Amino acid sequence: MLQLNYIRENRDAVIERLAVKNFKDVQLVDEVIQLDESRRKIQNESDAIAAEANAAAKQIGDLMRQGKKEEAEAVKSKSSGYKEQVKELTEKLSEVEQTLHDKIVQLPNLPHTSVPIGVAAEDNEVVLEHGVVPTLADGALSHWELLSKYDIVDLELGVKVTGAGFPVYKGKGARLQRALINFFLDQAVAAGYTEVQVPILVNEDSAFATGQLPDKEGQMYHVGGDDFYLIPTAEVPVTNLYRDTIVKEEQFPIKHCAYTPCFRREAGSYGAHVRGLNRLHQFDKVETVQLVHPDKSYEVLEEMNAYIQGLLQQLELPYRVLRLCGGDMSFTSALTYDMEVFSAAQQRWLEVSSVSNFETFQANRLKVRFKNENGKMQFAHTLNGSALALPRIVASILENNQTEKGIRIPNVLVPYTGFEWID
């Protein structure tokens, strides 16, 4: 959530930055400013009447102690309406504050000045490419054909048990999943992240605090009886560990990693690009989250970017890094890098990670603050990165490493899988 004082003091700059995200409802900015002015006016009026009421109460007490009962009664009669006025203003203030809240939460985060202008994925900026794209032999199979050939993931069995997008991993497929999870967690812990195991159901306050609500209701599974949401990413519960918390400046950077299954409805996703493991409703992911000092957040973003690239290099996967344009960024992000690996059989790039800096946008909703060196309270900056999401990593490993002998397992994973080949 954007900070009111920043919107009020930087109206034109806010509108200019929102345009980079192709945000159309710019009238909301002025509505927020006007509601904030009304809120402050009502609050000042209420405070003034409350002060008069307090002064009158003191005067009445003084007069009564002096035995001036008639004068005290006159003051009391004159001030009798103060309480009702304050009550009316308090109710009016509450209504204005609720309307203000409903309006301001519709404003997305402001993009960083380095965010490219654009409307869709085609406008994202390629920052770098790494590795050699493999050339496969004629007759190379897509990963969904390999899943069936080696009987390591059963998509149809998942349909039987639940529905499309809920695969069943079997044998070496299940072991490969477990190997990747453990590898990613071990790497994160070695990089200074503290591992946490968190709930995969969250309440509405948690979903709001990290920006999933009210922006992404259509993508989340809702458990109606308890009003819980299945998490779309571990970012939600991990970041919420610090909701309504005042941290100490010396605690920065606060670094956590977590493995969780993730759940996304992906409503409206159809076509060849969602075949096999390309897009699932349930998938596994290791997430990294940091809470940092505002002065360090963009330095940390680059460090997280490099860390995730290191994982892809160890997995021997060709990849590229994109800086997302304004039109392809999330509601909450100020700057996002996407990492994509090349799928040799599909001949296309597949997103496997996003690393984002949210600046104070989440922290404002979370109310996670710290006292700076001057003793002033301010919001932390929050960042997160997928490190990594498994389905498309598995798809690329299978496709890129297929041979006549079978599928070669990247060397770094062999100690985790206990086997070198899927055959």
Side-chain angles (χ1 to χ4, degrees):
M1 188 163 63
L2 298 179
Q3 297 182 59
L4 263 175
N5 61 338
Y6 185 85
I7 298 173
R8 185 171 58 242
E9 296 167 9
N10 301 275
R11 173 193 176 275
D12 293 343
V14 168
I15 291 174
E16 179 183 339
R17 297 314 301 160
L18 287 176
V20 176
K21 274 197 171 180
N22 302 303
F23 184 71
K24 305 301 182 186
D25 298 330
V26 290
Q27 79 283 351
L28 278 173
V29 175
D30 286 331
E31 290 177 18
V32 165
I33 292 172
Q34 290 165 7
L35 285 164
D36 182 46
E37 290 175 353
S38 296
R39 177 189 64 84
R40 289 187 294 155
K41 182 179 179 181
I42 295 168
Q43 185 66 67
N44 290 337
E45 188 177 350
S46 179
D47 290 344
I49 293 173
E52 290 182 23
N54 290 335
K58 183 178 183 301
Q59 185 180 8
I60 290 167
D62 290 343
L63 290 170
M64 291 294 286
R65 281 190 293 273
Q66 296 171 23
K68 300 177 180 179
K69 188 175 180 181
E70 290 184 4
E71 292 181 40
E73 289 296 331
V75 175
K76 185 184 294 186
S77 176
K78 182 180 177 181
S79 62
S80 61
Y82 288 156
K83 185 176 181 180
E84 188 61 32
Q85 286 179 274
V86 170
K87 180 183 177 183
E88 290 176 1
L89 287 170
T90 300
E91 291 174 353
K92 189 175 180 181
L93 181 63
S94 179
E95 291 176 4
V96 170
E97 287 178 336
Q98 184 60 55
T99 304
L100 174 58
H101 176 271
D102 293 344
K103 295 287 186 182
I104 198 170
V105 297
Q106 296 177 49
L107 294 174
N109 199 3
L110 303 181
H112 188 263
T113 53
S114 66
V115 170
I117 294 174
V119 298
E122 294 74 21
D123 301 313
N124 293 334
E125 175 188 347
V126 178
V127 177
L128 64 86
E129 293 189 17
H130 181 276
V132 178
V133 172
T135 301
L136 300 181
D138 291 341
L141 302 178
S142 63
H143 74 270
W144 53 85
E145 294 171 304
L146 294 168
L147 301 179
S148 177
K149 177 180 179 179
Y150 294 105
D151 194 25
I152 52 177
V153 178
D154 195 321
L155 300 173
E156 292 304 316
L157 196 55
V159 173
K160 173 184 176 181
V161 173
T162 306
F166 295 88
V168 174
Y169 297 84
K170 303 163 63 177
K172 287 187 175 181
R175 290 169 66 185
L176 177 58
Q177 283 280 107
R178 181 155 45 91
L180 283 164
I181 292 165
N182 288 333
F183 170 65
F184 293 149
L185 285 173
D186 286 351
Q187 291 292 304
V189 170
Y193 290 89
T194 299
E195 182 181 353
V196 290
Q197 190 172 32
V198 291
I200 61 173
L201 288 165
V202 294
N203 57 35
E204 186 174 340
D205 287 343
S206 292
F208 171 79
T210 45
Q212 274 64 39
L213 295 179
D215 180 52
K216 296 183 176 67
E217 297 99 326
Q219 297 181 25
M220 299 174 72
Y221 285 97
H222 183 228
V223 183
D226 299 290
D227 200 21
F228 290 154
Y229 292 87
L230 284 166
I231 62 170
T233 166
E235 166 203 344
V236 181
V238 174
T239 313
N240 270 280
L241 296 176
Y242 294 89
R243 177 155 46 93
D244 298 321
T245 299
I246 298 174
V247 300
K248 295 181 179 179
E249 188 173 4
E250 56 266 27
Q251 289 179 264
F252 293 137
I254 297 170
K255 303 171 66 174
H256 287 301
C257 64
Y259 154 70
T260 65
C262 303
F263 304 87
R264 298 182 187 178
R265 295 186 64 241
E266 300 287 5
S269 296
Y270 306 99
H273 69 288
V274 302
R275 290 194 67 179
L277 303 177
N278 285 344
R279 184 159 295 176
L280 301 175
H281 295 308
Q282 177 181 332
F283 60 95
D284 293 316
K285 181 156 66 81
V286 172
E287 191 78 1
T288 54
V289 171
Q290 291 205 41
L291 280 70
V292 304
H293 192 287
D295 293 346
K296 298 289 186 180
S297 67
Y298 280 95
E299 178 183 328
V300 169
L301 179 66
E302 297 303 325
E303 291 171 358
M304 294 177 73
N305 184 346
Y307 168 73
I308 295 167
Q309 290 185 55
L311 297 177
L312 296 172
Q313 290 168 19
Q314 291 185 75
L315 292 173
E316 307 167 44
L317 292 171
Y319 68 88
R320 67 181 184 180
V321 180
L322 306 177
R323 182 184 287 112
L324 297 193
C325 70
D328 201 32
M329 290 174 65
S330 74
F331 184 86
T332 52
S333 175
L335 178 60
T336 295
Y337 291 110
D338 270 7
M339 285 70 172
E340 298 181 335
V341 296
F342 192 77
S343 172
Q346 297 179 77
Q347 286 291 297
R348 64 192 190 91
W349 294 96
L350 302 175
E351 178 197 335
V352 293
S353 177
S354 286
V355 56
S356 300
N357 187 352
F358 305 106
E359 298 186 356
T360 63
F361 193 82
Q362 288 183 334
N364 190 11
R365 293 186 178 212
L366 291 155
K367 297 296 180 277
V368 55
R369 298 158 292 166
F370 70 99
K371 284 186 178 179
N372 62 22
E373 58 185 7
N374 299 318
K376 183 180 179 181
M377 201 72 75
Q378 67 180 103
F379 291 118
H381 278 196
T382 63
L383 304 93
N384 81 279
S386 307
L388 288 157
L390 270 66
R392 294 172 186 172
I393 290 289
V394 171
S396 297
I397 287 174
L398 297 179
E399 292 185 3
N400 294 7
N401 294 302
Q402 59 182 300
T403 71
E404 292 182 359
K405 179 180 177 180
I407 300 167
R408 184 183 66 82
I409 298 299
N411 293 332
V412 74
L413 292 181
V414 173
Y416 291 91
T417 59
F419 54 84
E420 297 180 12
W421 293 87
I422 296 176
D423 51 22

